[in-house]
Structure formats: C-alpha cells, structure tokens
Amino acid sequence: MTQPLSKANFTGSVLGVSAPPKPGMLHLGIGNFHRAHAAVYTAKAMAAQGGDWGIVAVANRSRRVVGALDAQDHLYSILELSSAGERVDVMDVHRKTLVAAEQTDQLIAQIADPAIKVVTMTISENGYCRHPVTGDLDVDGAQISADLADPANPRTSIGQLGAALIRRYSDDAGPLTILSCDNLVSAGHTAHKMVGQYLQATATPSGFHDWFTAQVTFPNAMVDRIVPGTTDATRAKVEQLLGLTDAIPVPAERFSMWVIEDKFAAGRPAWEEGGAIFSDEVEAYELVKLRLLNGSHSLISYLGGLDGQPTIPSSFGQDFVRECVTELLNTEYLPSIGLPSGFDPQAYIAQLFDRWSNHALGDATARVGSDGSLKLLQRVPDPALRMLDLGEVPQQLALMVAGWIACVCPPDGFDPGPIAAAMIEPAKDRLAAATAGAGSTRAHVEAIVRGGFFPEALAQRDEFTERVADFVQIITTSGVRDAAKAALDARRA
C-alpha cells in the first residue's frame, strides 16, 4: 500500500523552499487556486530572498483541505499538465490552518497578530457580499445584516476582516495589506470599498478610520492560471509520479501570471523573483484577463455545455464555438480595452487558444460555467453598453447571456442536458422566482434581464434584451448551433 505524503515519507525537494516556522501571511479561501498560484510565488520568493512569509491557511467552512494539510504536515502536490507532459511538485509553504466558521475568534486574533503583514484572499465573487445592481456592500442582505447585528461573531469574510482590523487597531499591531486574488474588475478597490463600507456601518473606536485610511492598503492585482477541480484521476496520477498518496493534489496548467500594484503597507515577499509583474497598469491587465480569458471562458462553457461537451478543450474544439469566441474577442472585447503598454493582443489570443485546447488539463465545462450570475456582471455590461452606444447590438455577448439562461434557468419544457445541470448557480432560487409564470420565452428573458440580475443601464436597452430572447428561442427550438450561426450571420450581414 502506498504511503501517505508526509515529511517522514517524502524524501525529495520541495518547490521553491520550505517556509520558516513563523507565518507572516494569512490566506482566506484555501482552495485549489491559491495553492497553485500565490502559494507557489511565495515559496519561490522565499527561496530567492528569504523572509518569514509562511502562510496561515484559512478555510471558510469545510475541513476537507485544512484537515488534509494538517495530516500531511502541510505538504501537498501540484500536478502540472500540458501537451509537453506531466510533472509533479511538492509544496511546503503553509504553517497553520483554521476554519473560519468554527474558529472565528482565532481567525480575528491571527489577523490582528503583528507578525501578519499581508492577508491574501480568494473568496470568489460571492464572498464580497456586493449588491449586484448598485455595486455597494449589500448591507440589507441576510449575510451582512447578520454580521452587523452580531459584529463579535461575523460569518462573512468581509465582517471577519472588519472585526480583525478593529482588533488590530486597538492592539496597536501595525499596518496591514489586504490583497484580493479574485477575478474582479479593480479587485483591490472592490475589497477596499466592501470592507470600508462594512466598517462605516458598525461601531469603531475613536481614531480608527484615520488609521484605516493611512495604515491599511488594498493593492489591485490580476491573477491568471487555469486550475481545475481535483479528481480521482488527479490523485492516481500523482501517486504514480510521486510514489506517495496525496489527499489534496492540485491539477494546473503550466501557464501562470500575476500582475500586482506595489502598494504594501508592511512589506511583502519578493514575488517578482517567482515571476510576478509589478505594474502601475494593473487595471488594464485585469480587463485583458477578465474579458479576453474569463469572458470567452463563459461563452465556451455555455455553448459547449448546451452542445454536450464535458470539457473546455472539447467545447473549444467545436468549430462553431471557436468561430463565436474569435468574433467575441476581436469585435466585442478587444475594442473595449485600453491595452497595457507594449501588450501584443494577438500573441495573447494565440496563447489563449493553446490553453483552451489543453486536453491534458481537461478543465470541466460545468466548473467554468458555474456562478454565472456573479461572473457575467464582470464580463458583459460594460463592453455591451459600449457597442450599444455605438448603435451596434453585441451578438456574442447577447449569445453568452442567452446561453447562461438556457443552462441554469431554462424556459419551461427545455432540458439543457446533464452538463448544464451540473453548473452551480447561487441565484438559482431567485431566477426561478423571477421567471415563475412567464408565459413566453420573451417574457422569461425579460424577467431575468430586467429583474435585478444586470445593471439598470443594460436592462433598459430593449435591443439587447430582445436579442437575448431571440437566441434563447433559437436554442430551445433549434439548438445551440443554430443560435451560434444566427449570431455570426447577423454580424457578417
């Protein structure tokens, strides 16, 4: 029987370096992406320049990852998958684990510890508790209102950060940087706004807000690496390559990119030694990634899901999907972005095509299509409004929204298939309530587009809503391939 991964059983070298015993960072949201991205850059940074930058790993509710980390002496593996082959690396950068829902007091105390200089987070779009229409903190929503009613026992990451910052100020623990690693436009500004609005809505000590303004920073950052979910095949391949059993290996592509605003209040790891880019143009890089990669990813997932394609490479391998994505990139997304200095968009797109064709990675279509109600807010409204203001209907963006509706909230009588059914949609109940009693496909679509799921500025554009409804009608009567053809033909006409 193969031995488990542990410091007693593993005799090889770790990637980068083993972190020293004393942690200097804390990460909220200890999922696959963090472990294959920021953790890797941090290990490489310490290998190059040292520093007490071990990481406290914090899960929100589940003990699955933190329990495995503890059992494996904080070791885990990264399985890199590419057309060139496979390789496995072992990481040893985390030094402590917590579960926020069970250990809220310890989490708040840990963030308030003067030794912690940087808090990073991957809490997903949903974790920011942002109102989907106003963009402000959803103070009337169930989660934040509960935290404000019981601020000593916050359940959300935003509330936990707020409580920890108040404790840090009261303990005179020094400055802190909070670095979002989520796929958000101006992620640092968003995190700053949500935490700041939470603190404005709760009781704080005298002088706190001046300290918060001067001593807590929220850099913007763009993160990019495709990291699918772990499967039994992942675990089996790691066991074959490593000779040990890892309960929580992380599959990842070879490509990795991190662009960060150098705005740290209390120091940082030398992440540039691991390949990170420090730039004053982070927001431009963010838009490149959020639209060209992430927005196209959404279109691939909905078209592919409706076509019965289980993975992103199998979806992108369909000619109609590739044609729609090419049209989206060149006519609807690229003109909407002010590109970073010296950036070559066509070289980047060629790289994207290669990444989306990585069958070795086999990223699941259902995973990429999940959380659409949150993701599309970042990927559709602004570029769609730009085109509408120019007198053009954005065919591919309308098709993307139609694909999302057909996958997660289809009109009565339409079955989108098992792949679409596997997509996780946090707004599923709200969507069902909004569309209850809709007498036609058009009424069904209008109830969603105009029902608070998109900003009012876009919801008021009848030509966009009508085009989305056209595509949903075609999908539900003739199929997704005919809808894609209609989108492409309309543009060419």
Side-chain angles (χ1 to χ4, degrees), residues 116-130:
I116 298 298
K117 308 296 186 184
V118 178
V119 173
T120 56
M121 55 186 183
T122 47
I123 57 176
S124 83
E125 292 92 335
N126 199 38
Y128 291 82
C129 301
R130 184 171 52 167

Side-chain angles (χ1 to χ4, degrees), residues 299-310 315 320-321 365 419 480:
L299 183 60
I300 295 167
S301 69
Y302 299 130
L303 298 183
L306 292 166
D307 196 53
Q309 302 298 330
S315 300
F320 82 98
V321 175
T365 305
I419 293 168
V480 68

Side-chain angles (χ1 to χ4, degrees), residues 32-199:
N32 277 13
F33 184 78
H34 161 74
R35 288 185 288 133
H37 194 264
V40 174
Y41 285 89
T42 302
K44 291 179 178 178
M46 287 187 291
Q49 291 195 12
D52 289 329
W53 295 114
I55 303 170
V56 179
V58 183
N60 183 21
R61 295 185 178 281
S62 172
R63 279 207 161 269
R64 185 184 67 83
V65 173
V66 300
L69 279 174
D70 289 344
Q72 295 178 180
D73 302 321
H74 298 144
L75 300 181
Y76 67 92
S77 61
I78 298 174
L79 176 64
E80 186 180 278
L81 299 164
S82 72
S83 58
E86 305 138 341
R87 62 170 288 163
V88 64
D89 291 297
V90 172
M91 296 289 299
D92 183 26
V93 72
H94 298 91
R95 285 295 164 264
K96 183 176 181 180
T97 62
L98 295 169
V99 177
E102 301 173 7
Q103 300 168 286
T104 309
D105 288 343
Q106 294 98 312
L107 170 60
I108 291 170
Q110 189 74 67
I111 297 174
D113 185 333
I116 298 298
K117 308 296 186 184
V118 178
V119 173
T120 56
M121 55 186 183
T122 47
I123 57 176
S124 83
E125 292 92 335
N126 199 38
Y128 291 82
C129 301
R130 184 171 52 167
H131 193 284
V133 176
T134 66
D136 290 324
L137 183 70
D138 191 5
V139 293
D140 296 323
Q143 292 179 301
I144 293 297
S145 59
D147 280 3
L148 292 173
D150 185 14
N153 188 37
R155 301 287 87 188
T156 70
S157 296
I158 299 300
Q160 290 157 1
L161 285 168
L165 288 170
I166 293 171
R167 173 94 58 94
R168 194 174 179 98
Y169 169 75
S170 299
D171 293 349
D172 194 24
L176 182 70
T177 293
I178 298 173
L179 176 61
S180 171
C181 299
D182 282 301
N183 286 322
L184 298 171
V185 176
S186 302
H189 294 333
T190 299
H192 191 181
K193 182 178 181 180
M194 298 305 107
V195 173
Q197 289 183 343
Y198 180 87
L199 291 165

